Amino acid sequence: MSEKDTSDIATEQYGSPLTPPPAIVFDPVYPVPDDAQCAEYWAYHDMLDNVADHSRMVANIATFMAQRAKEVGLPVDVPTVRASALLHDIAKTYCILHGGNHSQLGGAWAMDLTRNPIIASGVTHHVYWPFELDVEKYFTPLAVIYADKRVNHTDIVSIEERFKDLIKRYGIPLNLMDRIKATEDQALSLEKQLCDTLKVDLNACDFDSWRLV
């Protein structure tokens, strides 16, 4: 990632003054692309290979959580969550090269490509959620946020490790410590809520083999 795209850091520290959106619930009327179709979207937008590898890892974690959510009775559509995670960095390569906010641009591209506002919401908000943290109401975007915070490049790491890297790259040289801290605090709060809701310790999961360790 270059200095042209610093949107991995929250641009809103204290949430949004806007009214929170209604619960984001799966609607079968919306189309959901599979892995192959998402890969075609990546190719259309010239996604770098390392960004694609990162996106697959994020999607695997989000998919694990979505499957677990269904097991505990949440109204979650696993393919929708997976597609949103696969597309969360659809605009990353463009913003590395040309500047801009990759989450906002990516959300617009995802909506144009998929015509699915639930998928687009996960892309738009995968850096920071400016409304109330409520996993049951907003599972898709919150799952994508959390999964992204657990993958540093292509390595599965703890949230603390992920943010150590962000501080090193952006916090000190670009004077973004406060924003990074706000994003980390949200991620840790989200992790606790997900663990409680899904009844699983997400730091004890082997996401490669889809099981607890």
Side-chain angles (χ1 to χ4, degrees):
M1 198 185 313
S2 76
E3 292 185 9
K4 290 184 178 181
D5 178 21
T6 59
S7 49
D8 270 344
I9 298 110
T11 56
E12 290 284 349
Q13 287 192 50
Y14 304 111
S16 171
L18 301 176
T19 301
I24 298 175
V25 180
F26 167 69
D27 189 330
V29 74
Y30 298 133
V32 179
D34 61 13
D35 285 32
Q37 183 64 69
C38 288
E40 289 183 17
Y41 295 152
W42 294 348
Y44 179 78
H45 286 291
D46 299 318
M47 182 182 282
L48 293 167
D49 289 343
N50 64 305
V51 178
D53 291 341
H54 167 82
S55 298
R56 290 188 188 94
M57 294 297 296
V58 171
N60 285 345
I61 294 175
T63 301
F64 175 95
M65 292 191 296
Q67 291 175 337
R68 179 62 183 166
K70 283 187 69 67
E71 291 175 2
V72 300
L74 296 186
V76 172
D77 183 68
V78 176
T80 298
V81 175
R82 183 170 181 82
S84 189
L86 284 169
L87 296 176
H88 82 281
D89 270 350
I90 188 70
K92 172 67 82 172
T93 301
Y94 179 92
C95 290
I96 289 172
L97 297 174
H98 305 292
N101 185 301
H102 82 283
S103 59
Q104 293 180 9
L105 179 60
W109 284 2
M111 186 64 192
D112 182 61
L113 291 165
T114 69
R115 303 297 181 186
N116 187 322
I118 301 174
I119 290 173
S121 74
V123 178
T124 300
H125 295 295
H126 79 266
V127 173
Y128 188 84
W129 182 249
F131 307 108
E132 63 173 328
L133 287 184
D134 189 325
V135 169
E136 295 191 23
K137 288 176 66 176
Y138 307 120
F139 187 86
T140 295
L142 294 179
V144 177
I145 287 174
Y146 179 74
D148 185 47
K149 300 301 184 288
R150 290 294 308 273
V151 181
N152 191 34
H153 304 298
T154 57
D155 295 326
I156 296 175
V157 297
S158 68
I159 288 175
E160 290 83 358
E161 290 176 275
R162 179 81 156 92
F163 278 89
K164 283 180 183 178
D165 178 69
L166 289 174
I167 289 170
K168 180 179 179 181
R169 285 191 286 157
Y170 302 122
I172 298 173
L174 299 182
N175 196 29
L176 294 171
M177 293 290 291
D178 289 345
R179 292 184 179 182
I180 293 173
K181 178 60 176 172
T183 311
E184 182 179 16
D185 288 346
Q186 182 183 79
L188 290 170
S189 295
L190 176 58
E191 180 174 67
K192 183 179 186 308
Q193 188 176 141
L194 282 165
C195 289
D196 291 344
T197 302
L198 302 180
K199 299 178 175 58
V200 65
D201 181 358
L202 291 169
N203 283 296
C205 292
D206 179 353
F207 296 108
D208 290 328
S209 61
W210 309 88
R211 63 180 176 83
L212 292 175
V213 295

